[in-house]
Each structure stands twice: as structure tokens, then as C-alpha cells.
Amino acid sequence: MTRPLRVLVAAVLALAAGCGGDGGGDGGVAAPPPTTTAAPPATGPTGTTAAPAARPDLGAVAVRLQEVARPERPTAMAVRPGDDAIYVAEKSGRVRQVLRGQGGGQPSLAAGAVLDLSGQVSNGSEQGLLGLTFSPDGGKLYVNYTDTAGDTRVVEYAFAGGRADLGSRRQLLFVDQPFANHNGGEVAFGPDGKLYIGLGDGGSQRDPNNNGQNLGTLLGKILRIDPAPSGGAPYTVPPDNPFVGRSGARPEIFAYGLRNPWRFTWDRESRDLWIADVGQNRWEEIDFVPAGSPAGANFGWSLMDSRHPLKGDNPPGAILPIFEYDHGGGRCTVIGGYVYRGGAIPALRGAYLFADYCSGQVWALTQQGGRVTADRELDIGQRALIQSFGEDASGELYALTTTGLFRLVSR
């Protein structure tokens, strides 16, 4: 077990934008290890996963958070191809640029914003500017936010000269949100060059509209689109999407049965997909889809909450989480991270990192063949309320907390 973590915050703030757990906890109390369950291999379609060159050694990991910059309430981070800067979304609607220090100097937060949507976004506890990403060629910026009515918008801007061109604004997607919570917010290009968008089930508790299992709605799903317009539509549906041509199903859907996917990421080496799905009021889950798996995975919500029955039996062929933890010790909301592929922390390379918002706990886990082989809480030397994670071009990881942007480094 790691030594007790020092408490550095006076109280737990409101849940991070987009995180959306229905339970809370006292982040000022060091929590015991969670009750966790490593799932058996996924019961749905599986593929093969490339074996890492060397297995991580979680017992040898000693890390800390190193402050990089202090953007205001950061919710998401992105890097742009061919650009040394880091771009950070602030909950209130601004995209800020963090400039790398010259000659190894301290990074700095550039004045002003590269995009300012202040006044266009709602600011409820799970609302705001929730996601951003750049096109693979770096020429376009995509943002995912809730507007002043609380509805989801995914918008594209041309990007050049360190700024988004406001005159180029093009809306790709509008989704009516029936409640204020569970908005998802992820927007990211996958290894296949397609744009993926995460949406929660629409909010409230227990999925009252049963959106998770309804293929006729975009809520409770991960979507996959080509952002290029076609046929009068603002985007193109890839013809190999799993529900193209299926009566009553939205063709944009890539995966379904999700409550509130607060961050999904791909392992940059193996291309496995990791999804952190925020649970109801007892369980938090990590889902795993090996590279090469058929699209169309169903993760069970809201018939199941993690691996546990909620409204019925798990649907046939549904994917069970690879890992879950309970809400003991003040835990409340899973924050999805990345498989570490950087070079600064060799013992961590190949492990998936994630956190819990309320408790501030950070974990690493490893898998082989869809089974967890090791998991460990990491002592990061402080209690940080992590709202999101980011990955830079070299594979180093960053934590976005209620107070700023931090890099994960050895200690």
C-alpha cells in the first residue's frame, strides 16, 4: 500500500464539468483502496491486442504532478500536429494556448484565447466547453460544448496563425439534451482518421427515457463520423459504421449502452480503445475494446450498471467492464485517462491511468487478453481533484485539475 496522501484541498468543489456522478464524497479524507473487480474477458466480440515490448512494473512507479500552467477550470486538452503548444479548453468557453518554454524554460499560458465562446455556453456543474480536438492535418479545430439552453453542439473552425477563424464556424451536430447532466463531451479523431463523439444518456437518474439501449437516439452513445459534408448534410456517415442501413437505428452510432462516457482514448501503440463510463450511485467502470474488434459494441447501460443488474439482465453479447470500483471512501466519478506511452516514466509504460474525481485517487492498471493483470493506486504526493487527462505528442500525460494543468513526472 502507498503511504497516506496529504490533503491539499479544503473541500470538494462541485463535480467537474461533464463528469456527472450522482453521488459525492469528501475529497479531504484519504480513502481506503476501492473494492474492485477485474472482469473476465469481454463476452462480446473480441480481437487481438498487440503485446507491448516490455511489461510495466507498477510496483516501481513513483510519480508526482508538476505544475505547467493555470488555465481556469480546464476540462480538456489537445495537441495540434506540427505545433509545440498545448491547447486547453476552459469550462467557461475559452480555448487557451500553453506555450512551451524556450531552451527548457517554464511553459507559459498565452494571453487571450485562441477561441472564445464565453456567453455561448451554459455553465451548470456538468455543462460548458467539454471537449476539443484538431484535425489530423492541424487545419481545423473541433469543439464539443453545451449551449445556453443546455443542448450539445459540435462545431468546426478553420485554424491558422494560432487562432480559430470565427467566420469559418460550421456546426456539425446538434443534440437536444432533456436534462442538465450526462452530456458526455468527448470529441476525438480515432486511429482510422474518423471523428468520434461521446454523448451521455441525457441525464437524470436510471436513464428514465431508456436512451442507453435505444438505437434510435444519439444519447448514451459513441458516434463515428467523417466531418466532410455530403449530400447537403454537414458530415458524412462512414458506410462501414455498424448500424448503417438498419431500420430504426441512427447510422452515426459506433457503440452504445453508455451512461456518461467521460473520456475515451486509444492506446497509441496497440490501438485498443479504453472508455471510462460514469456510474449511477455505487459503481464506476472502465470498458476495454481490443483493436480489431467489430464495431457496434453494447456496454449494457441501463439494463446494467457496470456488471450489476439495474433494470434487467445484461443484453446478449454485451461487453462487461474490464475493471470496476465502488463508491466507498468518498469516491464518486471515474475520470478516464490514457495508456502511458511516454519515455519519462519507464516503469509505467503500457499501463492505463485513470482517476476518481471526489477522492482524488489515481490508479494504473495493466491488461493482457482482456484481463486485468495488475492494478495499483499511485501516490502522486498530493490530493488533486482531477477533471480530465491529456496526452502530448511524445506520449507524456497531463492531469487537468480544478486549479490548473499538471504534467505527470517521476519523483
Side-chain angles (χ1 to χ4, degrees):
M1 298 297 298
T2 58
R3 58 191 174 135
L5 303 181
R6 293 177 298 154
V7 176
L8 295 185
V9 295
V12 175
L13 305 178
L15 287 181
C19 293
D22 290 322
D26 182 1
V29 178
T35 300
T36 60
T37 305
T43 57
T46 58
T48 58
T49 303
R55 302 297 299 173
D57 181 4
L58 301 187
V61 174
V63 294
R64 64 183 176 89
L65 296 183
Q66 180 184 73
E67 183 175 317
V68 175
R70 288 189 173 266
E72 181 183 345
R73 296 184 295 170
T75 55
M77 175 187 137
V79 292
R80 179 172 175 254
D83 188 337
D84 288 336
I86 291 173
Y87 294 85
V88 178
E90 295 180 333
K91 184 178 186 295
S92 60
R94 297 186 301 176
V95 177
R96 306 289 300 278
Q97 187 182 53
V98 179
L99 302 174
R100 304 296 181 97
Q102 297 297 319
Q106 179 67 20
S108 61
L109 187 65
V114 303
L115 175 66
D116 192 346
L117 299 175
S118 301
Q120 299 180 45
V121 304
S122 47
N123 279 296
S125 65
E126 297 183 28
Q127 299 174 333
L129 177 54
L130 303 178
L132 80 161
T133 193
F134 287 94
S135 59
D137 65 1
K140 293 183 173 63
L141 171 66
Y142 297 86
V143 291
N144 185 335
Y145 66 93
T146 54
D147 63 18
T148 53
D151 298 319
T152 290
R153 295 180 186 267
V154 177
V155 179
E156 172 195 276
Y157 293 91
F159 195 91
R163 292 289 184 273
D165 178 2
L166 297 180
S168 70
R169 183 186 188 277
R170 191 172 70 89
Q171 181 169 291
L172 297 185
L173 188 69
F174 171 87
V175 180
D176 178 72
Q177 293 284 358
F179 300 97
N181 56 345
H182 304 180
N183 299 300
E186 185 71 272
V187 58
F189 280 90
D192 58 1
K194 299 299 188 289
L195 186 63
Y196 290 75
I197 300 164
L199 288 164
D201 65 6
S204 192
Q205 295 191 33
R206 295 177 61 88
D207 191 12
N209 297 326
N210 295 314
N211 290 324
Q213 293 297 308
N214 180 5
L215 291 174
T217 177
L218 301 181
L219 295 170
K221 314 297 190 298
I222 294 175
L223 313 181
R224 176 180 183 257
I225 64 171
D226 180 339
S230 66
Y235 57 83
T236 302
V237 174
D240 58 346
N241 270 10
F243 301 107
V244 168
R246 178 167 169 175
S247 177
R250 293 293 300 262
E252 301 94 335
I253 296 171
F254 172 77
Y256 66 110
L258 294 159
R259 183 175 182 269
N260 193 28
W262 185 243
R263 300 321 183 200
F264 55 85
T265 58
W266 290 267
D267 181 338
R268 61 165 56 195
E269 291 191 3
S270 72
R271 299 192 172 189
D272 300 330
L273 174 63
W274 295 80
I275 306 166
D277 196 19
V278 178
Q280 176 73 31
N281 51 21
R282 184 178 178 187
W283 299 100
E284 303 297 312
E285 70 178 84
I286 302 293
D287 298 311
F288 173 75
V289 182
S293 299
N298 180 3
F299 296 99
W301 176 260
S302 58
L303 296 178
M304 302 287 288
D305 183 11
S306 189
R307 301 176 66 201
H308 309 275
L310 183 68
K311 293 182 178 179
D313 294 331
N314 210 31
I319 304 294
L320 297 178
I322 192 173
F323 189 84
E324 66 178 16
Y325 68 90
D326 65 23
H327 281 195
R331 294 176 292 272
C332 72
T333 299
V334 66
I335 306 296
Y338 291 81
V339 173
Y340 179 72
R341 294 296 182 186
I345 313 169
L348 195 58
R349 199 170 191 280
Y352 176 74
L353 266 72
F354 62 100
D356 180 83
Y357 176 72
C358 288
S359 70
Q361 291 173 274
V362 177
W363 292 277
L365 66 81
T366 60
Q367 69 81 31
Q368 188 167 19
R371 288 182 181 273
V372 172
T373 55
D375 67 90
R376 179 191 172 206
E377 181 186 350
L378 301 182
D379 179 1
I380 61 173
Q382 65 185 72
R383 182 68 68 185
L385 301 182
I386 296 174
Q387 302 183 122
S388 190
F389 286 94
E391 180 186 44
D392 69 15
S394 62
E396 300 302 331
L397 297 189
Y398 296 74
L400 287 71
T401 78
T402 54
T403 60
L405 175 68
F406 296 80
R407 180 175 173 178
L408 197 71
V409 298
S410 291
R411 64 177 174 88

